[in-house]
Amino acid sequence: MNFAYPLRLPYMTVSLYLVIAMRLLVYFIFLAFIYVVTLLFNSLVIYIIASNHSLHTPKFLAVANLAVIDVILSTSIIPGMIKIFLFKNNFVPFNLCFVQMYVYYAFGTLESFALAILAYDRLIAICFPLRQNSINTLRSMSCIVGLTSCFALGIIAFPVGIMTRLSFCSSVNVFSYFCDYAPVFRLACNDNTLQWSVGSSLSVLILAGPFTFIFLSYVSILVTVFRMKSLDSRVKALATCVEHLILVAVFFIPLITIFTVGFYLRLIDPDHLSLASCIPPCVNPIVYSLKTKEIKTRALTNISEYLGVLISFIL
């Protein structure tokens, strides 16, 4: 009986290491796949819109804006997460930690605004079809994209800036896979009330503000659609909104849940936030951008041309 535990312990330890190693390998492969797909498809969308003058319209400016944001947002966290899993290197320089925090939250904010801009485009197209070209011009859309970008990049600088007032005199072990705001300020050994107040207020503003605008936009769209006399017109109008609604659900539902439960109750595992941040940039071009008729047609044309050149080169 005295030898029972010493004899079994090595096998239990090895099995445990194998399980952990397999889990890390699967997670690494998943993150790498998500990142490659995100870069590939969003870059394709950006290239197609930029290289085709006929797509230089307000709608596709909003689509390109979302694609650029997706690339930067995913790049701000996924490579760092892959580094942790692949090289077991979880050390981040102090200043670089705040840079990552700023980029992530700035472009996360821009993501929510970009989805609201797409809702605005649908609102104008369905509710004001005869005045669409005069209201939603390329110049006005450029101004909207520019203003939201300046607002997001400016407003996130304040909460990240006040983090430098904190003193981290005890633990510097952040309970997350990147320099997340709440897990970092909770490590401070001095008063973090200001950081908590600013973080909670901006979370409401950044998430609830665009989400409320999207909700009200679709209320107006539904009112307009049900006033249409033709059933075929109603179906066509609503069909143009399905993909955007999927993007809104994929982005807002997990993040609102995570920030509400995690920020106030601290019950969310960091895995959940990392997945919620990685999935939308990957899903956006597949569900929305590349399913747009104009982009899909040009994407297939470009791919067929490249394949033709490649085959002729090989032969």
Side-chain angles (χ1 to χ4, degrees), residues 27-89:
Y27 205 69
F28 162 71
I29 294 173
F30 171 76
L31 286 175
F33 174 78
I34 290 292
Y35 188 54
V36 170
V37 170
T38 300
L39 290 184
L40 181 64
F41 285 108
N42 280 295
S43 298
L44 179 61
V45 169
I46 296 169
Y47 169 75
I48 291 173
I49 294 176
S51 61
N52 289 272
H53 186 73
S54 59
L55 297 182
H56 294 177
T57 62
K59 174 183 177 180
F60 290 108
L61 174 60
V63 172
N65 175 55
L66 179 63
V68 172
I69 293 168
D70 285 339
V71 169
I72 300 176
L73 179 61
S74 59
T75 301
S76 69
I77 56 170
I78 295 183
M81 293 165 63
I82 291 176
K83 183 190 72 171
I84 292 174
F85 289 117
L86 191 61
F87 302 107
K88 304 293 187 294
N89 183 2

Side-chain angles (χ1 to χ4, degrees), residues 75-117:
T75 301
S76 69
I77 56 170
I78 295 183
M81 293 165 63
I82 291 176
K83 183 190 72 171
I84 292 174
F85 289 117
L86 191 61
F87 302 107
K88 304 293 187 294
N89 183 2
N90 58 349
F91 293 98
V92 180
F94 186 76
N95 292 330
L96 187 59
C97 178
F98 291 118
V99 172
Q100 183 189 44
M101 183 189 298
Y102 173 77
V103 174
Y104 170 77
Y105 279 101
F107 283 88
T109 302
L110 283 172
E111 180 95 1
S112 64
F113 287 159
L115 292 174
I117 292 172

Side-chain angles (χ1 to χ4, degrees), residues 65-307:
N65 175 55
L66 179 63
V68 172
I69 293 168
D70 285 339
V71 169
I72 300 176
L73 179 61
S74 59
T75 301
S76 69
I77 56 170
I78 295 183
M81 293 165 63
I82 291 176
K83 183 190 72 171
I84 292 174
F85 289 117
L86 191 61
F87 302 107
K88 304 293 187 294
N89 183 2
N90 58 349
F91 293 98
V92 180
F94 186 76
N95 292 330
L96 187 59
C97 178
F98 291 118
V99 172
Q100 183 189 44
M101 183 189 298
Y102 173 77
V103 174
Y104 170 77
Y105 279 101
F107 283 88
T109 302
L110 283 172
E111 180 95 1
S112 64
F113 287 159
L115 292 174
I117 292 172
L118 289 174
Y120 165 78
D121 178 77
R122 290 295 82 212
L123 174 69
I124 300 300
I126 295 175
C127 297
F128 307 97
L130 300 179
R131 299 173 56 194
Q132 179 183 2
N133 293 332
S134 60
I135 297 175
N136 193 17
T137 62
L138 186 60
R139 181 178 180 180
S140 64
M141 182 61 75
S142 300
C143 290
I144 293 172
V145 171
L147 288 174
T148 55
S149 299
C150 292
F151 177 77
L153 296 175
I155 198 171
I156 297 301
F158 177 68
V160 175
I162 61 176
M163 291 287 284
T164 57
R165 299 182 180 181
L166 298 176
S167 299
F168 302 95
C169 49
S170 54
S171 174
V172 289
N173 188 17
V174 180
F175 186 63
S176 183
Y177 290 126
F178 67 102
C179 289
D180 197 4
Y181 190 78
V184 171
F185 80 65
R186 288 185 182 130
L187 296 176
C189 51
N190 55 337
D191 183 35
N192 58 20
T193 304
L194 175 62
Q195 287 74 15
W196 188 93
S197 301
V198 171
S200 58
S201 300
L202 285 183
S203 297
V204 174
L205 175 65
I206 291 167
L207 292 175
F211 184 78
T212 302
F213 176 82
I214 294 170
F215 176 77
L216 294 177
S217 297
Y218 276 103
V219 169
S220 301
I221 288 172
L222 286 175
V223 171
T224 302
V225 166
F226 284 114
R227 286 178 179 175
M228 296 177 180
K229 297 180 180 180
S230 171
L231 179 61
D232 186 55
S233 299
R234 294 179 183 178
V235 173
K236 286 182 179 179
L238 291 176
T240 62
C241 303
V242 174
E243 289 86 358
H244 179 252
L245 286 173
I246 293 174
L247 301 190
V248 170
V250 169
F251 179 78
F252 280 102
I253 293 177
L255 283 184
I256 289 176
T257 303
I258 287 170
F259 277 108
T260 301
V261 179
F263 199 89
Y264 294 100
L265 303 180
R266 310 184 188 185
L267 298 178
I268 293 293
D269 189 274
D271 283 355
H272 300 155
L273 181 57
S274 63
L275 289 176
S277 304
C278 297
I279 297 298
C282 178
V283 171
N284 290 346
I286 299 173
V287 173
Y288 188 83
S289 303
L290 293 175
K291 290 192 71 175
T292 306
K293 183 180 178 180
E294 296 86 346
I295 295 180
K296 184 178 181 180
T297 302
R298 284 163 176 79
L300 293 175
T301 302
N302 290 339
I303 292 172
S304 62
E305 289 177 356
Y306 290 141
L307 288 176

